[in-house]
Amino acid sequence: MTFSLHGQAVSGGIAIGRAHLVSHAILEVAQYQLRERDVPAELLRFDQAVAAAGAELHGLRSEASVPGAPAELSAFVDLHSMILADPTLTDGVRELIRERRCNAEWAVVQQMQLVVDQFDEFEDAYLRERKQDIVQVVERVLRVLLGKTRKLAKRKTSTDDDLIVVANDLSPADTIQFKSLRIGGFVTDLGGSTSHTAIVARSLAIPAVVGMQHARPLIQDDDLLIVDGTRGVLIVDPDIGVLQEYRLRKSELELERSKLKRLVSGRSRTLDGETVELQANIELPQDAERAREVGADGVGLFRTEYLFMNRDELPDEDEQFEAYRSVARALAGRPVTIRSLDIGADKEARALRNRAGNHSATNPALGLRAIRFCLAEPQLFLVQLRAILRASHYGKIRLLIPMLAQAQEIVQTLALIDLAKIQLRESRHKFDDGMEVGGMIEIPAAALALGPFLRRLDFLSIGTNDLIQYTLAIDRTDGAVAHLYDPLHPAVLKLIAQTIQSAQRVAMPVAVCGEMAGDPKLTKLLLGMGLRQFSMHPAQLLEVKQQVMMADAAQLSLRVARLLKFDEPEKISELLEKL
């Protein structure tokens, strides 16, 4: 019987294949009492299981490090190794075994539940999802204790059909084991845009839909599936008409992707000769290699907060310096724009939880976050500023300050940068004294009062994600109002156009680094506003480049000027399709 399910689209494309169900149902274990004399042997059995699980992860780390494997896999395996070594998990299990004289399996599950409950209290969506890492590590230990190993056997498929992995959730280890199979897509009941499945699927360019809720119990092995990773749709047992339509669409998409690769070495220039810079957004130093592969003109946004997340200790100056320098060297002279720590709101760092910016705020999106937090913690900020300045000696590094709203914040930030330079001179460290400093325009107040930005800074970068959120008063992480998040709202478009035009009048470079920059449907709109610098996820760059090379900037300028005069969303959408 044909039916469809809807979830969250996290990796675009179309996959057609047979369901390959992955079961993780091993967390229901029995409890039994031990004799006092058997407790030491049970403790030893637990320690041996932890050691065996650690050895498995070490082997997976080697597999994840082979050339061509996504860098994210290594990071996830390292995270699981850290969880396995965390005394919060293992010491609690040993204490339960001793105090209750219980079997190791039951003690592991009880301690896991205590830790997972703590993760449920986090406001940060990324950290809440990390509770699945705890579960996956515990499952690995349980499989050793229970004498069970999960083998993923190769399955027979037709020449046209791939395997569609269907699971409640997937761990990094699963994705590594799947690499020898012909995987067409991923479908999971759990997860969101920051789940392992989503991140790995995007890095491998495999269609994926997550957050399906009930797909796993409704689907059987070998069911024929269609995964539409662009629309977030899963079709089970499609009829012949739907199947043929999707096979045609899949062939067209694959042909388009193949053609796009030819654009890597091409110049990003419009039909009327306007040069457009296409740069990449990255989260971790290893992402720089992907930026190079797609021919990015540089890094337009290096989100440094990911160096601070998922750890109990803050990265020191030398660790940060090495990370920033490695990106500068990888880009070989092309610009690297490093955003200072943007923590708070939907991003939380465990090591900063008790600091000024990580108190329990009623509305964290409007609280002490980003530059506000950094100015409230000047010593922490100075460590990062010194690290970025030191790295500037090894490449063309620029510093980008997030969430600026008023002149006083700019003055205080520049004063701290000057202090960092004085400290580096005293310690005889080399740096680029002329390193450019820019500001993010992501608060409507900044877009409407640009004067201090234009007078005191070297460049601007428009963060459309937060600009839309604050302009429309919509929490973009709240599913109840997500449908109201509209990049084409007339107020949003006018703020973006006004910012670009104001910067151009004083010959100040301005870029867009939010999600709008990577949406090929909006490329011509932004070009018509006068934008000449885009920054996006590397996977989006070639598609945007194609749109640039097919555009006439002069004609678009006239058409977009007309479009911006309208304040009816329907009319704006209609004119956008005609650009």
Side-chain angles (χ1 to χ4, degrees), residues 309-327:
M309 295 169 73
N310 294 321
R311 55 192 298 167
D312 295 313
E313 300 293 332
L314 294 173
D316 61 19
E317 182 179 325
D318 286 338
E319 181 183 344
Q320 291 188 58
F321 161 66
E322 292 294 344
Y324 307 146
R325 179 173 66 171
S326 68
V327 175

Side-chain angles (χ1 to χ4, degrees), residues 220-418:
Q220 298 182 13
D221 258 324
D222 290 322
D223 276 351
L224 183 60
L225 306 178
I226 296 175
V227 179
D228 189 333
T230 303
R231 298 176 182 174
V233 177
L234 172 69
I235 302 173
V236 182
D237 193 19
D239 61 39
I240 190 65
V242 172
L243 189 59
Q244 288 177 346
E245 178 187 345
Y246 268 95
R247 279 187 171 147
L248 178 60
R249 287 177 53 193
K250 183 178 183 229
S251 297
E252 291 171 347
L253 281 173
E254 290 172 351
L255 182 61
E256 282 299 313
R257 283 184 177 175
S258 177
K259 289 179 180 177
L260 285 175
K261 292 179 181 178
R262 304 174 190 172
L263 301 180
V264 170
S265 59
R267 297 189 65 178
S268 180
R269 180 180 290 178
T270 64
L271 294 173
D272 55 336
E274 288 281 335
T275 298
V276 179
E277 289 186 34
L278 301 180
Q279 300 183 341
N281 296 344
I282 67 171
E283 282 80 39
L284 296 168
Q286 52 264 41
D287 297 338
E289 182 57 35
R290 184 73 196 279
R292 290 180 57 189
E293 289 173 359
V294 296
D297 294 316
V299 169
L301 178 63
F302 181 178
R303 298 182 173 101
T304 60
E305 54 272 13
Y306 288 87
L307 297 174
F308 290 73
M309 295 169 73
N310 294 321
R311 55 192 298 167
D312 295 313
E313 300 293 332
L314 294 173
D316 61 19
E317 182 179 325
D318 286 338
E319 181 183 344
Q320 291 188 58
F321 161 66
E322 292 294 344
Y324 307 146
R325 179 173 66 171
S326 68
V327 175
R329 284 178 165 170
L331 271 292
R334 282 168 284 183
V336 175
T337 303
I338 300 178
R339 183 174 69 185
S340 62
L341 183 62
D342 186 6
I343 213 73
D346 60 338
K347 296 186 288 270
E348 181 180 319
R350 218 166 37 234
L352 294 170
R353 194 167 298 142
N354 297 321
R355 312 283 288 245
N358 283 267
H359 57 82
S360 180
T362 304
N363 192 335
L366 301 179
L368 197 62
R369 55 165 296 203
I371 189 58
R372 300 172 181 176
F373 170 69
C374 288
L375 292 177
E377 294 279 348
Q379 292 307 315
L380 180 149
F381 194 23
L382 279 168
V383 170
Q384 182 175 42
L385 292 175
R386 288 195 300 268
I388 293 172
L389 280 164
R390 286 170 58 190
S392 70
H393 178 66
Y394 298 89
K396 189 179 180 181
I397 283 180
R398 309 190 305 169
L399 173 64
L400 180 61
I401 309 300
M403 208 179 170
L404 288 169
Q406 51 193 312
Q408 189 58 30
E409 292 170 339
I410 300 174
V411 172
Q412 291 176 320
T413 300
L414 293 177
L416 283 171
I417 293 171
D418 287 338

Side-chain angles (χ1 to χ4, degrees), residues 179-194:
K179 73 179 184 179
S180 62
L181 304 178
R182 183 177 167 185
I183 301 300
F186 292 116
V187 175
T188 62
D189 287 337
L190 302 181
S193 60
T194 56

Side-chain angles (χ1 to χ4, degrees), residues 102-292:
C102 62
N103 55 308
E105 294 89 344
W106 187 83
V108 169
V109 173
Q110 298 309 302
Q111 187 63 19
M112 175 201 74
Q113 195 57 56
L114 285 174
V115 178
V116 165
D117 288 345
Q118 295 173 7
F119 274 68
D120 281 331
E121 297 175 5
F122 295 155
E123 292 182 357
D124 186 332
Y126 182 87
L127 287 178
R128 281 199 306 273
E129 286 187 3
R130 297 289 73 80
K131 70 183 180 183
Q132 292 304 318
D133 294 289
I134 307 291
V135 174
Q136 290 160 0
V137 169
V138 166
E139 286 180 330
R140 181 173 294 281
V141 175
L142 282 176
R143 280 196 295 273
V144 177
L145 287 169
L146 296 169
K148 297 180 179 180
T149 57
R150 187 164 67 228
K151 298 287 186 182
L152 299 172
K154 294 188 177 182
R155 303 271 303 283
K156 295 180 180 180
T157 64
S158 73
T159 55
D160 294 328
D161 295 339
D162 294 329
L163 288 179
I164 307 297
V165 175
V166 181
N168 186 50
D169 193 23
L170 291 171
S171 74
D174 293 326
T175 59
I176 294 171
Q177 289 176 289
F178 289 147
K179 73 179 184 179
S180 62
L181 304 178
R182 183 177 167 185
I183 301 300
F186 292 116
V187 175
T188 62
D189 287 337
L190 302 181
S193 60
T194 56
S195 65
H196 292 323
T197 306
I199 295 170
V200 172
R202 285 194 293 266
S203 69
L204 295 171
I206 292 176
V209 183
V210 302
M212 301 292 291
Q213 303 298 326
H214 305 296
R216 175 66 181 76
L218 291 174
I219 296 170
Q220 298 182 13
D221 258 324
D222 290 322
D223 276 351
L224 183 60
L225 306 178
I226 296 175
V227 179
D228 189 333
T230 303
R231 298 176 182 174
V233 177
L234 172 69
I235 302 173
V236 182
D237 193 19
D239 61 39
I240 190 65
V242 172
L243 189 59
Q244 288 177 346
E245 178 187 345
Y246 268 95
R247 279 187 171 147
L248 178 60
R249 287 177 53 193
K250 183 178 183 229
S251 297
E252 291 171 347
L253 281 173
E254 290 172 351
L255 182 61
E256 282 299 313
R257 283 184 177 175
S258 177
K259 289 179 180 177
L260 285 175
K261 292 179 181 178
R262 304 174 190 172
L263 301 180
V264 170
S265 59
R267 297 189 65 178
S268 180
R269 180 180 290 178
T270 64
L271 294 173
D272 55 336
E274 288 281 335
T275 298
V276 179
E277 289 186 34
L278 301 180
Q279 300 183 341
N281 296 344
I282 67 171
E283 282 80 39
L284 296 168
Q286 52 264 41
D287 297 338
E289 182 57 35
R290 184 73 196 279
R292 290 180 57 189

Side-chain angles (χ1 to χ4, degrees), residues 467-515:
L467 183 62
I468 297 168
Q469 170 174 259
Y470 292 131
T471 302
L472 302 183
I474 293 168
D475 182 350
R476 56 194 172 99
T477 66
D478 186 345
V481 294
H483 64 286
L484 299 174
Y485 185 85
D486 183 11
L488 294 179
H489 190 288
V492 173
L493 297 183
K494 287 172 184 176
L495 287 174
I496 295 171
Q498 180 179 313
T499 301
I500 294 170
Q501 291 160 11
S502 297
Q504 286 178 336
R505 279 196 291 270
V506 295
M508 174 178 280
V510 58
V512 168
C513 62
E515 289 298 312

